Amino acid sequence: MNTPLAQRAPAGDIPPQHWQGGAIDCAACACAHLRALPGEQGCEPGHACLQDVYARRIDRFFRWHPALSDGQLGHPYFEVRAIAARRASVFRLRALIDDPDETVRLQIALRLPLEQLPRLARDPHREVRIRVAQRLAPAALAALRDDPDYGVRELVALRLPLALLPTMARDADRAVRLRVAQRLEMPALLQLLDDPTPEVRRVVAERLPVALLPRLAHDPDWRVRWEVAQRADPATLAALCDDEDPEVRRSARERRAAAPGPRTLPTAAPTGVAHG
């Protein structure tokens, strides 16, 4: 049963207020005719209202009336436009690509058809570009490799086709190069052998072919050498047993001790004697 308006608490922690300030005047609202309808067929100031300043009440209004979303994409209040964009026809969203408010553009970046999404790839707001990078087809991500924000480039490095990924191996940001190191294949991975950041070189040590690990066995950072010790061949492992760092020495010695020794060939059975 619907709670009478006078008894229902406002939806949220602030009293009803018009988005332009002051009290809500239902008589001046284009949706005033809905007040006479019961429950979710209608509207309710303080609970589900198109003209409220509070986004939660606006959202409830559009959940009750999703068919009205298309008609409110040009509303002067950015919260109304942004919330209407969640349920509006995708064919109407293109008109909001240049909306002056990033909250609106954030919403359409989630729903815009993929072929129109590149229009937002140079949006001035980083969060919009991040959402674009999350949705763009991998082959279309190349345009974002030089984005000024490292968070955007990090997403690009996670999704860019492997054939294009080596072009990001010298990115200025450590976090981006770390993502590149986690995905690069040989021989492109060799570009990161001399990366200035130990965390990146450690990832390289995790993925480098065993035969090439000696190239990192004398790395200046003990964490890289420790990673080498986890996979190195016997000769490299023997050298690491005398490493200057105690953790590297311990790891190398433990692994060397656990390695199986040379097997002794069984003695041949005498001629004519069954070998059971």
Side-chain angles (χ1 to χ4, degrees):
M1 185 173 71
N2 292 325
T3 304
L5 178 58
Q7 298 178 22
R8 190 196 290 268
D13 53 1
I14 60 175
Q17 181 180 333
H18 193 275
W19 65 271
Q20 290 180 308
I24 294 173
D25 180 9
C26 292
C29 178
C31 297
H33 63 283
L34 297 175
R35 287 297 309 278
L37 301 177
E40 296 183 12
Q41 298 176 45
C43 62
E44 204 172 299
H47 188 69
C49 180
L50 178 65
Q51 302 300 338
D52 203 297
V53 70
Y54 194 34
R56 184 176 175 184
R57 296 169 190 153
I58 300 169
D59 181 67
R60 182 175 287 109
F61 175 88
F62 282 114
R63 279 193 280 122
W64 288 8
H65 304 286
L68 299 181
S69 300
D70 282 8
Q72 299 299 329
L73 294 178
H75 196 281
Y77 185 33
F78 76 93
E79 288 282 19
V80 172
R81 299 195 306 275
I83 296 171
R86 297 175 188 173
R87 297 176 175 83
S89 166
V90 294
F91 301 106
R92 300 288 302 275
L93 297 180
R94 185 175 181 178
L96 297 175
I97 285 178
D98 297 317
D99 192 276
D101 195 278
E102 68 271 12
T103 307
V104 179
R105 302 194 306 275
L106 278 168
Q107 289 300 323
I108 67 167
L110 292 173
R111 300 190 59 225
L112 205 64
L114 290 180
E115 63 271 14
Q116 297 176 18
L117 203 54
R119 288 274 306 277
L120 287 172
R122 299 300 178 187
D123 191 275
H125 199 278
R126 70 179 296 269
E127 292 297 331
V128 176
R129 301 195 309 275
I130 283 175
R131 295 193 184 188
V132 171
Q134 289 172 332
R135 291 191 60 217
L136 270 180
L141 285 170
L144 291 171
R145 286 176 297 179
D146 60 348
D147 191 275
D149 187 88
Y150 83 92
V152 176
R153 300 196 309 276
E154 187 176 0
L155 278 170
V156 173
L158 281 170
R159 302 185 59 233
L160 195 69
L162 285 174
L164 297 174
L165 193 58
T167 62
M168 300 189 73
R170 300 302 179 187
D171 191 275
D173 191 88
R174 175 195 67 86
V176 177
R177 298 195 309 276
L178 197 59
R179 298 299 187 187
V180 173
Q182 290 167 349
R183 295 186 59 218
L184 268 186
E185 296 180 345
M186 289 292 295
L189 185 61
L190 296 175
Q191 295 183 62
L192 296 172
L193 276 174
D194 60 348
D195 190 273
T197 303
E199 290 91 338
V200 175
R201 299 196 306 274
R202 181 177 177 179
V203 172
V204 175
E206 290 177 340
R207 306 187 61 238
L208 206 63
V210 172
L212 296 177
L213 282 176
R215 298 179 65 171
L216 287 173
H218 301 289
D219 191 276
D221 193 278
W222 73 269
R223 293 167 294 180
V224 179
R225 301 194 307 276
W226 183 92
E227 202 64 59
V228 172
Q230 308 311 300
R231 303 174 50 234
D233 57 44
T236 305
L237 200 60
L240 290 172
C241 285
D242 296 321
D243 191 271
E244 64 182 32
D245 185 88
E247 287 297 323
V248 177
R249 290 198 306 270
R250 181 178 63 81
S251 179
R253 291 171 181 177
E254 287 178 355
R255 184 164 172 260
R256 195 180 187 198
R263 296 183 179 180
T264 302
L265 294 175
T267 304
T271 304
V273 178
H275 184 63

